[in-house]
Amino acid sequence: MSDTPELDPEAPKSPAEQARRWQVELEAAKKAQEKWQTAGHDIVRRYLDDRSKVASVSSDTRWNVFTSNVDTLKCMLYGKPPRVQVGRRFADADDDEARVASEMLERILNTDIETGDGFAQALMHALEDRLLPGIGFARVRYECEMEDVAEVPAMMGPDGMEMAPVVPATQRKCSEEVEVDYVHWDDVLWSPARTWEEVRWVAFRAFMTREALKERFPDSPNVPLAAVTGKEGAGAKEDPRDRAEVWEIWCEEDKRVYWYVEGYGNALDEKDDPLELEGFFPCPRPMVARSTTTNFAPRADYVLAEDLYKEIDLVSTRITTLERAIRVVGVYDKSSAELKGMLDPRNRDNQMLPVDNWAMFAEKGGVKGAVDWLPLEQIANALMALRDYRAELMDALFQMTGMSDIMRGQATSSGVTATEQGIKARFGSVRVQAMQDEFARFASEIQQLKAEVMAKHYDAQTYITQSNIMRTQDAALAQAAVALLKDDASMWRIEV
């Protein structure tokens, strides 16, 4: 037998062991996601027509059709913040507790949206990320403020007997809420997996100042900061803009959350499952473009039509070059210098120009014999051919991306009937409908997570206060409704 003791996989690991573990995990995840993240940055620059990091010249012409398509889809998919609907799952007429609980939960969730809990902004940013790099994230966060409650001394009777014992000092909740946070696509990593259900951990990056680090992690004073100025080394001074890149890692395997900075020798902190969610992760399944069961990673819409977008730009550049070449240019006989003044802007209309040695000038054929103009017919023909080719490219692009003329709001020919327009609109909206359904799923799951966090952590009085249920005729059922909301079996009676 070997003298080497076997390691217990369930045994707790030291902060140094956790640091080594997560350094390896994060490096593997970054390597797996490097390709689409690099493409994502290029796509964002293309959307903004940012040419600062692109090898192009100032004379290049871009038709920003991609920007137009993305803006059109954003308007079609998200017009205003959605409202939450909570109801009895089976609409049982005698289940008044579920009816009141549904009303309380719906009031709280919709009030949070109206007062600005970050939900609307998170949806807008996540949708833009889905349309550009190809993936959109958002998460929920539970916030609770505590206040100190002073000790209550024992109550003594007149005979010196203790009537009530001492109530020791404690803390109580003074406020609690569940916030919805947008997560930038470049600030999230996950374990390489084939599907979202196989993901073992999800990590969210936060940038923290030195002061914030000391307050949150007082036992980790030497956490390295990422140098914003690019100056690193022993002689570099810490810049106020420098931040530590702290990864908050939710590991479903051991149901714990870890905080770690890459390159630091110890994990900053770790906690047991703080939210106690059924799915563990504090975020819904993200909106992902073309993720297959081979690899859970986005494939952005732009990538599939990139060749067409670039070809349209190339043709547009050539059209611009030819358009700039269209001007009145010619050559003339140097011995007839007077002809140069024919196109001089200083000469007014209806003027006569004197010609020396008229006989010789007439012998050469006059103006036709002494002047030859740049042939514009060939340039005009080339322009017409390039414009026709660009129109063909645009049609091919619309077919590939599903952006039909009707969806773009362009006018149709007068001979097209209303029925034909309706058929084209329904056919063109098939892809958009799938994206709308996915966006609705994403928004609904965020609110479902929020409701689950509330059920796990809200006090009964918080439900009652925030829903204002005591001002209604169902006040008598408030306590029973709260008990139902906090019951794990509520999912069978209440649907968000």
Side-chain angles (χ1 to χ4, degrees):
M1 296 179 62
S2 175
D3 295 333
T4 304
E6 294 185 2
L7 296 177
D8 182 4
E10 301 297 331
K13 296 180 175 62
S14 67
E17 291 175 322
Q18 292 291 0
R20 290 193 293 270
R21 170 195 178 187
W22 292 116
Q23 184 69 37
V24 173
E25 291 275 15
L26 292 176
E27 288 178 356
K30 285 186 175 182
K31 184 177 181 181
Q33 298 175 205
E34 180 181 9
K35 185 176 181 180
W36 75 260
Q37 287 183 339
T38 301
H41 289 289
D42 294 337
I43 292 170
V44 172
R45 284 193 290 269
R46 174 60 198 247
Y47 172 74
L48 298 175
D49 197 11
D50 180 7
R51 312 186 194 188
S52 58
K53 297 183 179 181
V54 180
S56 62
V57 295
S58 58
S59 60
D60 287 351
T61 300
R62 278 188 177 177
W63 264 37
N64 290 312
V65 186
F66 175 64
T67 303
S68 175
N69 288 347
V70 170
D71 291 344
T72 301
L73 283 174
K74 282 198 294 187
C75 295
M76 295 182 66
L77 294 171
Y78 188 34
K80 61 181 180 180
R83 289 189 60 83
V84 183
Q85 292 184 348
V86 185
R88 290 171 289 184
R89 183 174 294 276
F90 302 108
D92 297 324
D94 294 334
D95 196 356
D96 286 333
E97 293 178 3
R99 177 182 58 80
V100 177
S102 301
E103 182 179 349
M104 293 174 66
L105 187 57
E106 183 176 310
R107 284 183 171 204
I108 296 173
L109 295 176
N110 282 321
T111 300
D112 285 349
I113 294 175
E114 293 167 1
T115 55
D117 68 338
F119 176 66
Q121 200 71 17
L123 284 185
M124 184 182 302
H125 292 326
L127 175 62
E128 182 175 290
D129 288 351
R130 160 59 184 85
L131 297 175
L132 293 178
I135 192 167
F137 272 94
R139 60 170 294 184
V140 295
R141 174 172 47 86
Y142 174 65
E143 290 287 341
C144 176
E145 293 186 9
M146 307 294 290
E147 62 181 1
D148 295 326
V149 178
E151 177 184 295
V152 178
M155 183 180 296
M156 310 300 293
D159 54 356
M161 296 293 293
E162 184 180 75
M163 299 180 61
V166 176
V167 179
T170 184
Q171 286 188 324
R172 66 183 178 190
K173 295 179 182 178
C174 58
S175 68
E176 55 183 338
E177 58 187 350
V178 182
E179 298 286 352
V180 178
D181 293 334
Y182 158 72
V183 182
H184 190 271
W185 57 272
D186 206 22
D187 292 336
V188 60
L189 292 172
W190 58 88
S191 63
R194 295 175 298 180
T195 64
W196 177 254
E197 289 71 25
E198 293 183 356
V199 171
R200 298 179 289 109
W201 56 264
V202 178
F204 306 99
R205 179 169 57 182
F207 297 92
M208 302 181 67
T209 63
R210 179 66 68 190
E211 291 72 19
L213 284 170
K214 291 179 180 178
E215 181 179 355
R216 175 61 182 84
F217 309 107
D219 297 331
S220 303
N222 299 319
V223 176
L225 302 185
V228 175
T229 58
K231 298 179 180 179
E232 297 181 353
K237 294 183 179 180
E238 194 169 288
D239 191 277
R241 295 169 293 174
D242 294 345
R243 297 289 186 271
E245 298 183 6
V246 181
W247 288 98
E248 178 185 332
I249 308 166
W250 291 67
C251 181
E252 188 178 19
E253 289 181 316
D254 49 17
K255 302 295 183 182
R256 293 181 69 81
V257 182
Y258 303 88
W259 285 263
Y260 173 65
V261 173
E262 291 183 271
Y264 191 59
N266 295 318
L268 302 183
D269 193 10
E270 61 178 278
K271 290 184 178 180
D272 291 329
D273 184 2
L275 296 182
E276 303 174 5
L277 298 173
E278 182 179 353
F280 181 72
F281 294 134
C283 61
R285 175 169 56 87
M287 294 183 289
V288 186
R290 293 169 190 83
S291 173
T292 66
T293 55
T294 302
N295 182 28
F296 184 78
R299 188 69 170 168
D301 300 335
Y302 174 80
V303 174
L304 301 182
E306 183 176 7
D307 292 342
L308 284 173
Y309 284 118
K310 290 183 176 179
E311 185 72 10
I312 290 172
D313 288 343
L314 177 61
V315 173
S316 298
T317 299
R318 291 179 177 177
I319 290 175
T320 301
T321 302
L322 291 177
E323 287 176 343
R324 291 171 180 171
I326 296 179
R327 59 189 186 276
V328 179
V329 179
V331 293
Y332 66 96
D333 186 356
K334 188 176 181 180
S335 62
S336 303
E338 301 86 354
L339 298 179
K340 183 179 179 181
M342 293 177 61
L343 297 180
D344 193 329
R346 292 172 297 179
N347 292 330
R348 296 183 180 179
D349 297 337
N350 303 326
Q351 282 195 349
M352 301 292 290
L353 299 178
V355 177
D356 296 332
N357 199 349
W358 175 261
M360 183 179 297
F361 179 73
E363 184 180 347
K364 292 180 179 180
V367 174
K368 292 183 180 181
V371 176
D372 195 7
W373 301 101
L374 175 69
L376 298 180
E377 183 179 357
Q378 291 87 338
I379 298 178
N381 292 336
L383 268 176
M384 293 179 60
L386 286 174
R387 286 170 176 165
D388 291 341
Y389 179 48
R390 185 170 63 182
E392 293 179 7
L393 291 174
M394 293 290 291
D395 290 339
L397 179 66
F398 288 149
Q399 291 180 17
M400 177 171 290
T401 60
M403 299 295 294
S404 66
D405 289 345
I406 290 182
M407 291 169 60
R408 291 176 59 84
Q410 296 180 358
T412 57
S413 60
S414 58
V416 177
T417 65
T419 302
E420 185 177 351
Q421 288 185 12
I423 293 174
K424 288 182 178 180
R426 286 193 298 271
F427 181 78
S429 64
V430 171
R431 294 186 188 180
V432 176
Q433 183 62 51
M435 295 180 65
Q436 288 175 335
D437 294 341
E438 175 67 1
F439 187 45
R441 188 274 310 168
F442 180 74
S444 298
E445 289 187 4
I446 292 176
Q447 291 299 323
Q448 290 167 1
L449 280 176
K450 185 172 180 177
E452 188 178 355
V453 174
M454 293 165 57
K456 299 289 185 181
H457 300 279
Y458 268 23
D459 289 340
Q461 187 57 43
T462 304
Y463 272 112
I464 293 173
T465 301
Q466 293 187 4
S467 65
N468 200 33
I469 196 66
M470 301 306 292
R471 299 285 184 176
T472 70
Q473 60 184 3
D474 295 318
L477 294 171
Q479 293 295 339
V482 171
L484 175 60
L485 287 171
K486 297 184 69 65
D487 189 353
D488 291 338
S490 64
M491 60 174 293
W492 302 110
R493 297 169 63 183
I494 299 174
E495 181 180 19
V496 180

